[in-house]
Amino acid sequence: MTDAPRLEFRHIGKSFPGVRALSDVGFSVRAGSVHGLLGENGAGKSTMMKILGGEYIPDEGEVAIDGRAMDFRKAADAIDAGVAVIHQELQYVPELSVMENLLLGRLPTRFGLVDRRRALAWTRERLDALGVDLDPRAKLKALSIGQRQMVEIVKAILRDAKILALDEPTSSLSHRETEVLFRLVRDLRAQGKAMIYISHRLDEIFELCDAATIFRDGRKVADFDTLEGVTRETLVQRMVGRDIGDIWGYRPREHGDIRLSVKNVSGRAVQQPVSFEVKAGEIVGFFGLVGAGRSEIMRVIYGADRRLTGDVAVDGQPVKPSQIRDAIRHGLVLCPEDRKEDGIIGVRSVSENINISARRNHLVAGLFVNDRVEAKTADGYIDRLRIRTPHRRQEIRLLSGGNQQKAVLSRWLAERDLRVLIVDEPTRGIDVGAKNEIYNVLYELAGRGVAVVMISSELPEVLGVSDRVIAMCRGRIVAQFSRDEANEANVLAAALPEGASATPTPAR
Amino acid sequence: MTESSAAAIGATRDTPATRRRALFWQVVDDYSLILIFIALFAVLSASVQYFFSWDNMVGLLLSVSQIGMVSCTMMFCLASRDFDLSVGSTVAFAGVFCAIVANATGSVAIGVAASLAAGALVGFVNGAVIAKLKINALITTLATMEIVRGLAFISSHGQAVGVSNEAFFTLGSASVLGLPVPVWVTLACFVVFGVLLNKTIYGRNTLAIGGNPDASRLAGVAVDRVRIAIFLIQGVIAALAGIILASRMTSGQPNAGEGFELNVISACVLGGVSLMGGRASISGVIVGVLIMGTVQNAMSLMNIDAFYQYLVRGTILLIAVLVDQLKNRRQAR
């Protein structure tokens, strides 16, 4: 361990107009190790990765590989130096096949034409060797997000990168896909690659990483050469900069009458009819594997997708099928799963994103938008939910994920008569501190009598926040548990396909 | 600096110097177009004879009045991430149709009303096909552009349709308070559509749809209805422009307004309306229209060959788009 580290960041500083994103940050990564990078959203992790990938040029400091200072001017420089950065937002060509994506720019040719057979054989061989189960001919757009991510990682490996950075790779992976990924990461470590691993899931950090660095507000606040003996609480406290105590912060509440009633509802993506009820003040957690039909059924209930059969009622009042606006009128709203695609309107301001729906309730002369009220509403929620933005007129795409989520939540909090709130993966890709804040919003709403439905793929979160847990598998509700009954083992067993043997409570 | 003080404000504040620089660029970004226009105007006033005279100014405004009106509605169309190529044909058809109906009924009012209704119908078809049948706006309006141009030729037998009723000409030639009626109509359009864009749910939703149609729908925006309305209104305003043009030319001409749609879109893009949707401002569009008109006017005064004017117009458009691109890039980093 006397030689230079494989990768070293030396006194990196980077500013953007109005923001100091990184100041004097340095840490190093050994060959053959996985280095965890932790911090809240906006702490500067992604900026650091973009500097590593040659996308940003640091204002101060340098990146060194094997002791040699590098001068990355563009992404290609980093790739040439053996660096592969896999971002949260993947870069692939959706219309092309796995094979073509992997071989982009260097497809084998014969007589000037693409030699498909050779390309196919080569791709199959590589995928098999890595233990990745993918059809080389499948178009990327037909694959799940997890599978696309796999392709991206395989691409980096095939490029023979010696430094690999993974930015939140598991945020949209299923359990099985995560396992495959972990195995791959361990294999790569054994091969001597230096890896940086960014994740908000502390379990993963403990499971995978040899060392870790914590960022906060663009500075390095802690370095751990080893994670042995380090506790979860220590990491969280260093990340957040304060002791947030019990992360769930759950307290029991009184439940009222039935608020949301869903009877025999089905849609194109959820063929079997689904029924359930949620009481006023109750938080019901929906757990299931990716593809279990949770998001799909919620979209049908909200009216975003066509309802084929069944009835939805709020406080006994029927909600018209497939009409979002009628659902909103009944106080039934949804915070969608894919924040960027379905949640935020990126080029519009924070204020616009918050006021887009509720503004209909305070028009001037029934026609004109009331800017004064809207500004007050926006500033109110920015303050209350601690949305980090320079001002309410900032384009929302420039905010971090957690803050975008808070703005989308605010949009519905601003509704005059909110009765049922459905949140789909509300804390995906969000840091610990913001998660805690979002849970508190849910509790507060439930305390006011709102019926809350929360979909989450993170079992601890479902167990920690919900009054009742519903497990879904393959488009059906397979089990329900009260808060006291539910534990990791029985909920997971119920949600796993063919796992019915371990299910204590039958579906109701 | 200690941990706590850095943590207190999220992102560490930067120095006054960098903040001043950021503010400077902000101002340049926000007012770049107007600054360019003022500079252009000043240079032309000083160097081109007759440019800065009342008659020439009125002529300039009159020459951009048709483009100005339709730019207002095209702004909505582009802001919602759509596109409309059919406005040029609608201008021609509306002029011809108005002339035919006015001649047949002997009433200019009926002719104008029928023509506006026809424009509304064209717009409604565009909007309904695009919003409900989910067909690409470019293809849809390319098709209606051809169809409506065809209707203009068929209904007029390929010839200019003169109007016998004198009242018809006052629309295009009468003056109120020293400015011709078409200029007043254009000014009214700027005011009305400016208010619509900035002050009503309709305008805000238009921008939201352009920014992200899926998210807008999930936020309760009646996306289809807004899109149909955008095209319908555009059809009406294009018809209005057609009627006024016919009145100025004293006849409805089936080959009028060729290339009109591209001039309108150019003016909008010059005015900073994003083709990616979600970004538009009425002040930008006004300046865009004025820049187009000013350059055209100056070139005519300088006796620049009409063939070269194409080159100049194209170059200006390219530069405007490049400037916009640079602006976005700086904001993104």
Side-chain angles (χ1 to χ4, degrees), chain B residues 79-99:
Chain B
S80 70
R81 216 189 275 186
D82 271 325
F83 216 75
D84 190 350
L85 293 177
S86 69
V87 287
S89 298
T90 306
V91 163
F93 178 69
V96 169
F97 193 61
C98 179

PDB file of all heavy atoms in Angstrom, chain B residues 79-99:
ATOM      1  N   ALA B  79     -44.969  27.398 -28.013  1.00  0.00           N
ATOM      2  CA  ALA B  79     -44.782  27.289 -26.563  1.00  0.00           C
ATOM      3  C   ALA B  79     -45.327  25.971 -26.037  1.00  0.00           C
ATOM      4  O   ALA B  79     -44.842  25.441 -25.043  1.00  0.00           O
ATOM      5  CB  ALA B  79     -45.455  28.452 -25.854  1.00  0.00           C
ATOM      6  N   SER B  80     -46.328  25.429 -26.720  1.00  0.00           N
ATOM      7  CA  SER B  80     -46.877  24.147 -26.279  1.00  0.00           C
ATOM      8  C   SER B  80     -46.162  22.982 -26.974  1.00  0.00           C
ATOM      9  O   SER B  80     -46.645  21.862 -26.971  1.00  0.00           O
ATOM     10  CB  SER B  80     -48.376  24.086 -26.562  1.00  0.00           C
ATOM     11  OG  SER B  80     -48.598  23.991 -27.951  1.00  0.00           O
ATOM     12  N   ARG B  81     -45.041  23.265 -27.593  1.00  0.00           N
ATOM     13  CA  ARG B  81     -44.192  22.280 -28.256  1.00  0.00           C
ATOM     14  C   ARG B  81     -44.846  21.740 -29.521  1.00  0.00           C
ATOM     15  O   ARG B  81     -44.582  20.619 -29.942  1.00  0.00           O
ATOM     16  CB  ARG B  81     -43.892  21.113 -27.298  1.00  0.00           C
ATOM     17  CG  ARG B  81     -42.484  20.555 -27.477  1.00  0.00           C
ATOM     18  CD  ARG B  81     -42.292  19.292 -26.700  1.00  0.00           C
ATOM     19  NE  ARG B  81     -41.912  19.535 -25.316  1.00  0.00           N
ATOM     20  CZ  ARG B  81     -41.570  18.575 -24.467  1.00  0.00           C
ATOM     21  NH1 ARG B  81     -41.562  17.325 -24.856  1.00  0.00           N
ATOM     22  NH2 ARG B  81     -41.226  18.851 -23.236  1.00  0.00           N
ATOM     23  N   ASP B  82     -45.757  22.551 -30.122  1.00  0.00           N
ATOM     24  CA  ASP B  82     -46.359  22.144 -31.390  1.00  0.00           C
ATOM     25  C   ASP B  82     -45.852  23.040 -32.504  1.00  0.00           C
ATOM     26  O   ASP B  82     -44.946  23.849 -32.290  1.00  0.00           O
ATOM     27  CB  ASP B  82     -47.888  22.208 -31.293  1.00  0.00           C
ATOM     28  CG  ASP B  82     -48.453  20.890 -30.792  1.00  0.00           C
ATOM     29  OD1 ASP B  82     -47.886  19.837 -31.150  1.00  0.00           O
ATOM     30  OD2 ASP B  82     -49.435  20.915 -30.044  1.00  0.00           O
ATOM     31  N   PHE B  83     -46.492  22.937 -33.628  1.00  0.00           N
ATOM     32  CA  PHE B  83     -45.982  23.525 -34.837  1.00  0.00           C
ATOM     33  C   PHE B  83     -47.167  23.736 -35.748  1.00  0.00           C
ATOM     34  O   PHE B  83     -48.077  22.925 -35.746  1.00  0.00           O
ATOM     35  CB  PHE B  83     -45.044  22.480 -35.461  1.00  0.00           C
ATOM     36  CG  PHE B  83     -43.874  23.064 -36.130  1.00  0.00           C
ATOM     37  CD1 PHE B  83     -42.829  23.556 -35.371  1.00  0.00           C
ATOM     38  CD2 PHE B  83     -43.803  23.124 -37.512  1.00  0.00           C
ATOM     39  CE1 PHE B  83     -41.718  24.116 -35.986  1.00  0.00           C
ATOM     40  CE2 PHE B  83     -42.699  23.680 -38.119  1.00  0.00           C
ATOM     41  CZ  PHE B  83     -41.666  24.170 -37.360  1.00  0.00           C
ATOM     42  N   ASP B  84     -47.199  24.813 -36.540  1.00  0.00           N
ATOM     43  CA  ASP B  84     -48.302  24.953 -37.486  1.00  0.00           C
ATOM     44  C   ASP B  84     -47.804  25.521 -38.804  1.00  0.00           C
ATOM     45  O   ASP B  84     -47.395  26.673 -38.881  1.00  0.00           O
ATOM     46  CB  ASP B  84     -49.403  25.839 -36.897  1.00  0.00           C
ATOM     47  CG  ASP B  84     -50.669  25.800 -37.740  1.00  0.00           C
ATOM     48  OD1 ASP B  84     -50.613  25.247 -38.867  1.00  0.00           O
ATOM     49  OD2 ASP B  84     -51.701  26.308 -37.287  1.00  0.00           O
ATOM     50  N   LEU B  85     -47.838  24.689 -39.829  1.00  0.00           N
ATOM     51  CA  LEU B  85     -47.395  25.123 -41.150  1.00  0.00           C
ATOM     52  C   LEU B  85     -48.550  25.621 -42.005  1.00  0.00           C
ATOM     53  O   LEU B  85     -48.347  26.127 -43.094  1.00  0.00           O
ATOM     54  CB  LEU B  85     -46.709  23.959 -41.877  1.00  0.00           C
ATOM     55  CG  LEU B  85     -45.386  23.489 -41.290  1.00  0.00           C
ATOM     56  CD1 LEU B  85     -44.871  22.286 -42.060  1.00  0.00           C
ATOM     57  CD2 LEU B  85     -44.365  24.604 -41.326  1.00  0.00           C
ATOM     58  N   SER B  86     -49.777  25.453 -41.531  1.00  0.00           N
ATOM     59  CA  SER B  86     -50.936  25.693 -42.396  1.00  0.00           C
ATOM     60  C   SER B  86     -51.377  27.156 -42.435  1.00  0.00           C
ATOM     61  O   SER B  86     -52.282  27.500 -43.181  1.00  0.00           O
ATOM     62  CB  SER B  86     -52.109  24.822 -41.955  1.00  0.00           C
ATOM     63  OG  SER B  86     -52.605  25.261 -40.708  1.00  0.00           O
ATOM     64  N   VAL B  87     -50.758  28.021 -41.621  1.00  0.00           N
ATOM     65  CA  VAL B  87     -51.271  29.396 -41.533  1.00  0.00           C
ATOM     66  C   VAL B  87     -51.169  30.158 -42.851  1.00  0.00           C
ATOM     67  O   VAL B  87     -52.050  30.957 -43.172  1.00  0.00           O
ATOM     68  CB  VAL B  87     -50.579  30.203 -40.398  1.00  0.00           C
ATOM     69  CG1 VAL B  87     -51.052  29.735 -39.047  1.00  0.00           C
ATOM     70  CG2 VAL B  87     -49.076  30.135 -40.510  1.00  0.00           C
ATOM     71  N   GLY B  88     -50.129  29.910 -43.633  1.00  0.00           N
ATOM     72  CA  GLY B  88     -49.973  30.616 -44.919  1.00  0.00           C
ATOM     73  C   GLY B  88     -51.135  30.292 -45.842  1.00  0.00           C
ATOM     74  O   GLY B  88     -51.748  31.185 -46.456  1.00  0.00           O
ATOM     75  N   SER B  89     -51.477  29.037 -45.924  1.00  0.00           N
ATOM     76  CA  SER B  89     -52.597  28.624 -46.765  1.00  0.00           C
ATOM     77  C   SER B  89     -53.906  29.178 -46.238  1.00  0.00           C
ATOM     78  O   SER B  89     -54.775  29.583 -47.018  1.00  0.00           O
ATOM     79  CB  SER B  89     -52.690  27.089 -46.801  1.00  0.00           C
ATOM     80  OG  SER B  89     -51.531  26.548 -47.361  1.00  0.00           O
ATOM     81  N   THR B  90     -54.033  29.201 -44.918  1.00  0.00           N
ATOM     82  CA  THR B  90     -55.273  29.728 -44.332  1.00  0.00           C
ATOM     83  C   THR B  90     -55.435  31.208 -44.677  1.00  0.00           C
ATOM     84  O   THR B  90     -56.535  31.669 -44.964  1.00  0.00           O
ATOM     85  CB  THR B  90     -55.265  29.533 -42.806  1.00  0.00           C
ATOM     86  OG1 THR B  90     -55.014  28.159 -42.539  1.00  0.00           O
ATOM     87  CG2 THR B  90     -56.593  29.926 -42.188  1.00  0.00           C
ATOM     88  N   VAL B  91     -54.317  31.946 -44.648  1.00  0.00           N
ATOM     89  CA  VAL B  91     -54.355  33.360 -45.029  1.00  0.00           C
ATOM     90  C   VAL B  91     -54.921  33.499 -46.443  1.00  0.00           C
ATOM     91  O   VAL B  91     -55.830  34.305 -46.699  1.00  0.00           O
ATOM     92  CB  VAL B  91     -52.939  33.982 -44.940  1.00  0.00           C
ATOM     93  CG1 VAL B  91     -52.872  35.287 -45.719  1.00  0.00           C
ATOM     94  CG2 VAL B  91     -52.548  34.199 -43.493  1.00  0.00           C
ATOM     95  N   ALA B  92     -54.421  32.688 -47.366  1.00  0.00           N
ATOM     96  CA  ALA B  92     -54.872  32.772 -48.758  1.00  0.00           C
ATOM     97  C   ALA B  92     -56.343  32.373 -48.876  1.00  0.00           C
ATOM     98  O   ALA B  92     -57.156  33.097 -49.476  1.00  0.00           O
ATOM     99  CB  ALA B  92     -54.010  31.864 -49.636  1.00  0.00           C
ATOM    100  N   PHE B  93     -56.687  31.249 -48.273  1.00  0.00           N
ATOM    101  CA  PHE B  93     -58.053  30.752 -48.403  1.00  0.00           C
ATOM    102  C   PHE B  93     -59.049  31.731 -47.779  1.00  0.00           C
ATOM    103  O   PHE B  93     -60.121  31.991 -48.343  1.00  0.00           O
ATOM    104  CB  PHE B  93     -58.172  29.372 -47.764  1.00  0.00           C
ATOM    105  CG  PHE B  93     -59.570  28.824 -47.811  1.00  0.00           C
ATOM    106  CD1 PHE B  93     -60.139  28.454 -49.028  1.00  0.00           C
ATOM    107  CD2 PHE B  93     -60.323  28.674 -46.655  1.00  0.00           C
ATOM    108  CE1 PHE B  93     -61.429  27.957 -49.079  1.00  0.00           C
ATOM    109  CE2 PHE B  93     -61.616  28.182 -46.704  1.00  0.00           C
ATOM    110  CZ  PHE B  93     -62.170  27.828 -47.925  1.00  0.00           C
ATOM    111  N   ALA B  94     -58.678  32.255 -46.617  1.00  0.00           N
ATOM    112  CA  ALA B  94     -59.589  33.168 -45.930  1.00  0.00           C
ATOM    113  C   ALA B  94     -59.868  34.399 -46.787  1.00  0.00           C
ATOM    114  O   ALA B  94     -61.012  34.853 -46.866  1.00  0.00           O
ATOM    115  CB  ALA B  94     -58.994  33.582 -44.577  1.00  0.00           C
ATOM    116  N   GLY B  95     -58.832  34.913 -47.462  1.00  0.00           N
ATOM    117  CA  GLY B  95     -59.012  36.085 -48.322  1.00  0.00           C
ATOM    118  C   GLY B  95     -59.952  35.776 -49.471  1.00  0.00           C
ATOM    119  O   GLY B  95     -60.905  36.521 -49.751  1.00  0.00           O
ATOM    120  N   VAL B  96     -59.688  34.647 -50.116  1.00  0.00           N
ATOM    121  CA  VAL B  96     -60.510  34.243 -51.261  1.00  0.00           C
ATOM    122  C   VAL B  96     -61.952  33.999 -50.813  1.00  0.00           C
ATOM    123  O   VAL B  96     -62.908  34.496 -51.423  1.00  0.00           O
ATOM    124  CB  VAL B  96     -59.920  32.953 -51.892  1.00  0.00           C
ATOM    125  CG1 VAL B  96     -60.897  32.359 -52.890  1.00  0.00           C
ATOM    126  CG2 VAL B  96     -58.585  33.261 -52.554  1.00  0.00           C
ATOM    127  N   PHE B  97     -62.084  33.267 -49.724  1.00  0.00           N
ATOM    128  CA  PHE B  97     -63.406  32.869 -49.250  1.00  0.00           C
ATOM    129  C   PHE B  97     -64.224  34.095 -48.845  1.00  0.00           C
ATOM    130  O   PHE B  97     -65.416  34.206 -49.154  1.00  0.00           O
ATOM    131  CB  PHE B  97     -63.239  31.895 -48.084  1.00  0.00           C
ATOM    132  CG  PHE B  97     -64.504  31.175 -47.699  1.00  0.00           C
ATOM    133  CD1 PHE B  97     -65.157  30.351 -48.613  1.00  0.00           C
ATOM    134  CD2 PHE B  97     -65.037  31.306 -46.423  1.00  0.00           C
ATOM    135  CE1 PHE B  97     -66.318  29.678 -48.262  1.00  0.00           C
ATOM    136  CE2 PHE B  97     -66.196  30.635 -46.069  1.00  0.00           C
ATOM    137  CZ  PHE B  97     -66.842  29.820 -46.989  1.00  0.00           C
ATOM    138  N   CYS B  98     -63.564  35.010 -48.175  1.00  0.00           N
ATOM    139  CA  CYS B  98     -64.231  36.232 -47.744  1.00  0.00           C
ATOM    140  C   CYS B  98     -64.742  37.000 -48.966  1.00  0.00           C
ATOM    141  O   CYS B  98     -65.888  37.474 -48.988  1.00  0.00           O
ATOM    142  CB  CYS B  98     -63.272  37.094 -46.932  1.00  0.00           C
ATOM    143  SG  CYS B  98     -63.988  38.638 -46.374  1.00  0.00           S
ATOM    144  N   ALA B  99     -63.908  37.091 -49.989  1.00  0.00           N
ATOM    145  CA  ALA B  99     -64.286  37.815 -51.200  1.00  0.00           C
ATOM    146  C   ALA B  99     -65.475  37.137 -51.867  1.00  0.00           C
ATOM    147  O   ALA B  99     -66.437  37.801 -52.285  1.00  0.00           O
ATOM    148  CB  ALA B  99     -63.089  37.878 -52.155  1.00  0.00           C
TER     149      ALA B  99
END
